[in-house]
Amino acid sequence: MQLRLCGFWLVLFLFSPLFLRSQARGVVQLKDGSPLAFATIQTADGSKGTLSEENGAFVLEGITVRSQIIASFLGYESDTLLFEGKALTFVLKEKTSILDEVVVSGTLREVSRSSSPVPIEIYTPAFFRRNPSPNLFNALENINGVRPQVNCNVCNTGDIHINGMEGPYTMILIDGMPIVSSLATVYGLMGIPNSMVQRIEVVKGPASTLYGSEAVGGLINVITKQPGIKKSATADITFSNYRDLNADFGLTFQQKKHAFLLSTNLYYFDTPWDINGDNFTDMTLQKRFSAFGKWTNVNAKYLTSSLAARYVHENRWGGQLQWTPAFRGGDSIYAEQIYTDRVELIGQLKPTQVRPLQIQYSYNFHSQNSVYGTTAYIGEQHIGFGQTTWSQKFGRHDLLGGVAMRFTWYDDNTPVTASPDSTGQNKPSATWLPGVFYQHEFALNPKTTWLGGIRLDYNTQHGPILSPRLNLKWAWNEKNTLRLGLGNGFRVANVFSEDHAALTGAREVVIARDLKPEQSINAFATHRLSTLPSFGTLSLESSLFYTYFTNRIIADYFTNANQIIFDNLSGHGIARGVSITADASFLNGWSLQAGTSLMEVFTIETEAASSATRKEVQIQTPSVTGNWSLSVPATRWNLTIDYTGTLTSPMRLPVVPNDYRPEYSPWFSIHNLQLTWKARPAVEVYGGVKNLFNFIPDDPILRPFDPFDKSIDQNNPNGYTFDPNYNYAPMQGVRAFGGIRISLL
């Protein structure tokens, strides 16, 4: 008996480390030995976790000996160590590729790109530096299937098309928050400087289940920079022979457990150009200033929090060259002049003791004071948003649930918010949009993953909105992955805040009846091939997409040359197509990204009287687009040569009756060339030529000599009136640019 007891206590003593919980202490550092702050340290099963402090040290409570501990940080390769009761030292190496980067946009949780059932494309600042631009809107032109479309030849506003679907169907997020929408889509996109961007995640296809009713065609999630692990200062200054200047300045530093990032952007363009000789500015003159700040607080015991704020002010105008502010709103010299002020706040809270819980909130204020000839448009918008999500993993099941609340307050001087009675007092639109959503991801086997989700929103003006979706990922081997998706969308439109053509003053806006919300069904299939040929690496991604609309809101430019008639479609609309993207890296350092999209976007309308159907192609939507980005290093001279470009097929344009201009644009291609010289490790000097072959559209403005239609009865047999909406490409011709980037540690 005593022998048995001695044996029992001996076994208990030898194996007690496997049952007793302890503290795992250690440090996280980079390859050069410098500490890495705010790295995530967690057990392999995700049940325990913490963050490293400013000096890289961490303490992980309640860990059993022989547990696997993982340290990770965005942009670095994870490191896994076995805890055996001794201090741990993690060494993280910087990633050399983003092929399997961590993404969040597809499922609202951090997953590797290869594991996500939702196809997501990632673009970093290095990609956009191949063709430098002053803002996000212009930077996206080299992404396959994503096309910035300039919609007005006077004030150069634009929107972003995904797979041929117009701007209002694209949701723009900043750090996952839906703060760029409605009124902000008109001018807010050009106020997002590239200097604040850490990466951009693009989802092509329906995302309404997670993000609400506006994400019908897809979304673009702008992930802002994080406060750095070291004190640093950066500057990036670009100028061109058009006498425009873009300057970005950044500073990041830490103070104990607080990290700060400050970034400012200045864009100044104040020289009128009129290359085509129509007495109108080719490009709007812009004076824009934005400031972005981000603060992160880390308290490993209780709460991790971050708060970001941004302010944007812009003054832009385009029109007749003789215009000055003294003519604003008058009928002698035509111009479109816009003042914009915008404030954004974005916050996040993560309780460290309840790791699956995350709280996000945002607020934005947008004010616009503008005139379009003699037409004034004054609008103001406030949007508040809050969201709480909870996620948990059970074996092969990943569950995510959440509740969200969005409040939108909107007022302007148009009939949208006019009082229905004779009081003359506006009635601003106030819309509450509470929502609840649930997502279930199930790994059927190592090769197959199902993702199902459903969301229920309640719009105070239109009632309940249900948005389900279903996704499948099948990776039958390490090289090939197939993703399928099916979902629906729901969108309530405000034509005055989303469609700039309604504001130009060149045509009367007619809303035929009370507009009903749009509904859509979306489906896609994507195949990705990743391989390692003898020359380097190669990935090919092919996609099929299809969207079916009912109640689609369309703008009729053709029934009356002096009107834009907005009405729900009495039929259905279809957007369908295929896209192919190739990404290759060569052993000699060359890299190539190229893609093409073929699409057809049209409506089928049923005539009420005869029940006959009529097919109409969507305006300003080319059937074929292509883009490429070739990077060639010349290491002997510390040079890199970047050649980028786009190809666009003919697109239907908003012509007027008896218009002498073609109804379809020509094929055209824009080519850009840049040389970058790395003068020192912290200094880059770059320069090049944009629009190398000097493509400029013909006759973009109808009757530019009579913008107020004062002499339309004189020598005008066709009854033409002033119209600036015939647009398919920017009016800037060939131009040289140069710049310098400096990074100081």
Side-chain angles (χ1 to χ4, degrees):
M1 183 67 178
Q2 290 182 348
L3 184 61
R4 291 180 179 178
L5 288 174
C6 289
F8 170 78
W9 288 110
L10 179 61
V11 171
L12 183 63
F13 174 77
L14 292 175
F15 290 92
S16 60
L18 298 181
F19 304 103
L20 298 178
R21 294 188 177 273
S22 179
Q23 287 183 340
R25 294 177 176 271
V27 67
V28 185
Q29 61 187 36
L30 299 178
K31 188 177 180 181
D32 61 3
S34 58
L36 180 59
F38 313 137
T40 299
I41 300 94
Q42 61 182 358
T43 57
D45 61 4
S47 61
K48 301 290 182 181
T50 186
L51 297 173
S52 61
E53 298 182 357
E54 184 179 9
N55 59 359
F58 67 88
V59 176
L60 191 58
E61 302 281 356
I63 304 302
T64 58
V65 176
R66 308 293 296 175
S67 294
Q68 282 192 328
I69 313 297
I70 303 172
S72 60
F73 191 82
L74 188 64
Y76 293 81
E77 297 179 2
S78 300
D79 190 14
T80 303
L81 297 176
L82 186 66
F83 176 56
E84 296 181 310
K86 299 179 181 180
L88 302 173
T89 301
F90 292 95
V91 179
L92 303 191
K93 300 177 182 179
E94 189 171 4
K95 287 185 177 180
T96 57
S97 172
I98 64 169
L99 293 179
D100 201 26
E101 182 64 275
V102 173
V103 295
V104 297
S105 299
T107 59
L108 277 184
R109 60 186 183 86
E110 291 187 350
V111 297
S112 66
R113 182 185 178 190
S114 62
S115 300
S116 174
V118 180
I120 301 176
E121 299 175 14
I122 306 171
Y123 299 91
T124 66
F127 175 82
F128 299 118
R129 282 198 291 267
R130 296 180 179 180
N131 181 28
S133 59
N135 55 63
L136 173 70
F137 177 81
N138 300 110
L140 296 174
E141 65 182 17
N142 283 108
I143 297 178
N144 184 32
V146 178
R147 193 175 70 88
Q149 169 63 43
V150 176
N151 295 325
C152 175
N153 287 304
V154 180
C155 68
N156 296 134
T157 184
D159 57 18
I160 297 174
H161 294 203
I162 293 182
N163 288 341
M165 299 178 66
E166 295 171 303
Y169 303 97
T170 300
M171 175 170 273
I172 310 295
L173 306 168
I174 296 182
D175 286 337
M177 296 288 96
I179 62 177
V180 183
S181 58
S182 193
L183 183 57
T185 59
V186 181
Y187 299 104
L189 298 175
M190 294 186 181
I192 302 177
N194 296 327
S195 59
M196 62 181 276
V197 177
Q198 177 172 302
R199 73 182 188 275
I200 290 176
E201 299 182 3
V202 179
V203 177
K204 300 172 184 175
S208 294
T209 301
L210 291 181
Y211 295 97
S213 61
E214 294 178 2
V216 176
L219 66 88
I220 297 173
N221 192 2
V222 181
I223 309 297
T224 62
K225 291 181 177 178
Q226 296 292 333
I229 59 175
K230 294 182 179 180
K231 183 177 181 179
S232 65
T234 60
D236 190 347
I237 302 173
T238 310
F239 55 88
S240 80
N241 66 320
Y242 269 61
R243 302 175 194 171
D244 60 328
L245 172 70
N246 185 72
D248 293 313
F249 301 98
L251 175 66
T252 182
F253 59 94
Q254 295 179 10
Q255 183 65 35
K256 296 183 178 179
K257 294 184 179 180
H258 303 274
F260 300 90
L261 170 71
L262 301 175
S263 177
T264 60
N265 171 261
L266 173 67
Y267 182 69
Y268 187 87
F269 179 35
D270 200 36
T271 302
W273 290 84
D274 181 23
I275 295 177
N276 66 346
D278 62 2
N279 196 42
F280 268 73
T281 55
D282 296 330
M283 295 293 293
T284 57
L285 280 68
Q286 303 174 49
K287 300 174 185 177
R288 182 171 58 246
F289 171 78
S290 69
F292 174 74
K294 197 169 190 178
W295 163 78
T296 300
N297 175 46
V298 177
N299 186 326
K301 291 185 178 180
Y302 302 108
L303 188 69
T304 299
S305 60
S306 67
L307 180 65
R310 191 167 74 101
Y311 170 72
V312 182
H313 172 76
E314 183 182 70
N315 175 7
R316 67 161 58 199
W317 75 269
Q320 292 181 289
L321 301 182
Q322 305 92 327
W323 188 87
T324 66
F327 295 103
R328 190 176 196 264
D331 65 350
S332 55
I333 304 295
Y334 186 92
E336 299 181 3
Q337 194 275 330
I338 301 97
Y339 294 113
T340 300
D341 286 286
R342 183 169 176 81
V343 176
E344 300 167 354
L345 294 174
I346 304 171
Q348 181 174 270
L349 301 172
K350 288 185 178 181
T352 57
Q353 302 299 316
V354 192
R355 295 189 60 80
L357 185 67
Q358 179 173 278
I359 302 170
Q360 296 173 292
Y361 57 92
S362 68
Y363 164 77
N364 74 82
F365 163 76
H366 188 102
S367 174
Q368 180 177 322
N369 185 327
S370 51
V371 293
Y372 303 86
T374 58
T375 301
Y377 176 79
I378 300 173
E380 185 174 305
Q381 179 175 268
H382 300 260
I383 298 179
F385 180 81
Q387 178 172 274
T388 300
T389 58
W390 171 87
S391 61
Q392 189 63 56
K393 183 177 179 66
F394 298 100
R396 292 182 293 173
H397 300 265
D398 278 303
L399 309 180
L400 182 140
V403 293
M405 174 64 77
R406 182 172 178 177
F407 175 73
T408 302
W409 185 95
Y410 175 78
D411 190 18
D412 65 20
N413 63 328
T414 74
V416 172
T417 58
S419 173
D421 50 41
S422 59
T423 61
Q425 298 295 320
N426 266 20
K427 286 195 173 181
S429 169
T431 304
W432 292 91
L433 189 64
V436 58
F437 55 91
Y438 172 75
Q439 175 180 277
H440 186 174
E441 184 176 336
F442 172 55
L444 185 64
N445 54 53
K447 297 182 179 181
T448 309
T449 301
W450 287 92
L451 174 68
I454 190 167
R455 182 186 183 104
L456 178 64
D457 291 307
Y458 185 84
N459 187 297
T460 53
Q461 296 182 3
H462 297 282
I465 305 168
L466 191 66
S467 304
R469 78 164 173 179
L470 183 65
N471 292 85
L472 168 67
K473 179 181 78 73
W474 178 37
W476 62 87
N477 57 40
E478 61 181 10
K479 294 182 180 180
N480 293 277
T481 303
L482 176 68
R483 292 179 172 90
L484 305 174
L486 179 67
N488 78 331
F490 183 102
R491 195 180 74 88
V492 180
N494 182 340
V495 298
F496 285 94
S497 64
E498 295 177 355
D499 193 333
H500 169 267
L503 306 174
T504 61
R507 299 192 185 200
E508 178 189 1
V509 175
V510 177
I511 299 178
R513 54 185 170 178
D514 291 337
L515 298 179
K516 299 177 182 178
E518 298 179 335
Q519 296 184 357
S520 67
I521 298 175
N522 315 67
F524 69 86
T526 299
H527 172 252
R528 183 176 182 84
L529 169 66
S530 299
T531 184
L532 297 172
S534 59
F535 62 77
T537 64
L538 174 66
S539 66
L540 295 172
E541 187 162 294
S542 305
S543 298
L544 294 170
F545 54 90
Y546 183 92
T547 302
Y548 182 94
F549 289 94
T550 57
N551 285 340
R552 184 168 187 183
I553 298 171
I554 58 173
D556 179 2
Y557 289 83
F558 304 97
T559 300
N560 188 321
N562 296 314
Q563 293 180 336
I564 307 175
I565 304 172
F566 290 94
D567 198 359
N568 286 111
L569 180 67
S570 58
H572 63 273
I574 291 177
R576 61 191 180 191
V578 59
S579 69
I580 302 174
T581 303
D583 191 337
S585 297
F586 300 85
L587 297 178
N588 60 4
W590 290 37
S591 63
L592 172 66
Q593 289 176 302
T596 184
S597 295
L598 291 78
M599 67 196 76
E600 185 181 24
V601 184
F602 60 92
T603 59
I604 301 294
E605 187 161 12
T606 303
E607 301 287 352
S610 61
S611 298
T613 59
R614 183 178 74 253
K615 177 180 178 180
E616 286 199 4
V617 177
Q618 180 174 286
I619 65 171
Q620 295 175 321
T621 304
S623 57
V624 180
T625 61
N627 53 62
W628 63 87
S629 176
L630 174 65
S631 185
V632 179
T635 54
R636 181 178 179 182
W637 299 283
N638 292 329
L639 284 176
T640 301
I641 304 169
D642 292 301
Y643 172 46
T644 60
T646 61
L647 174 68
T648 308
S649 73
M651 67 184 86
R652 188 183 182 212
L653 300 174
V655 295
V656 301
N658 299 314
D659 205 322
Y660 62 90
R661 300 170 300 182
E663 184 179 1
Y664 282 81
S665 64
W667 283 88
F668 68 91
S669 186
I670 304 295
H671 301 253
N672 313 296
L673 187 65
Q674 175 185 255
L675 274 70
T676 303
W677 175 47
K678 200 170 188 63
R680 295 182 179 181
V683 179
E684 288 184 348
V685 180
Y686 57 92
V689 179
K690 289 178 180 286
N691 197 358
L692 191 61
F693 299 107
N694 196 32
F695 175 78
I696 300 176
D698 294 327
D699 298 317
I701 300 177
L702 187 63
R703 287 181 64 86
F705 54 86
D706 186 22
F708 296 100
D709 294 330
K710 294 182 177 181
S711 57
I712 58 174
D713 296 327
Q714 303 175 14
N715 301 319
N716 187 20
N718 291 306
Y720 295 145
T721 57
F722 172 73
D723 190 358
N725 295 309
Y726 185 90
N727 186 281
Y728 54 93
M731 287 299 299
Q732 278 189 309
V734 61
R735 57 198 183 278
F737 68 92
I740 184 171
R741 299 187 189 98
I742 303 173
S743 179
L744 302 175
L745 296 178

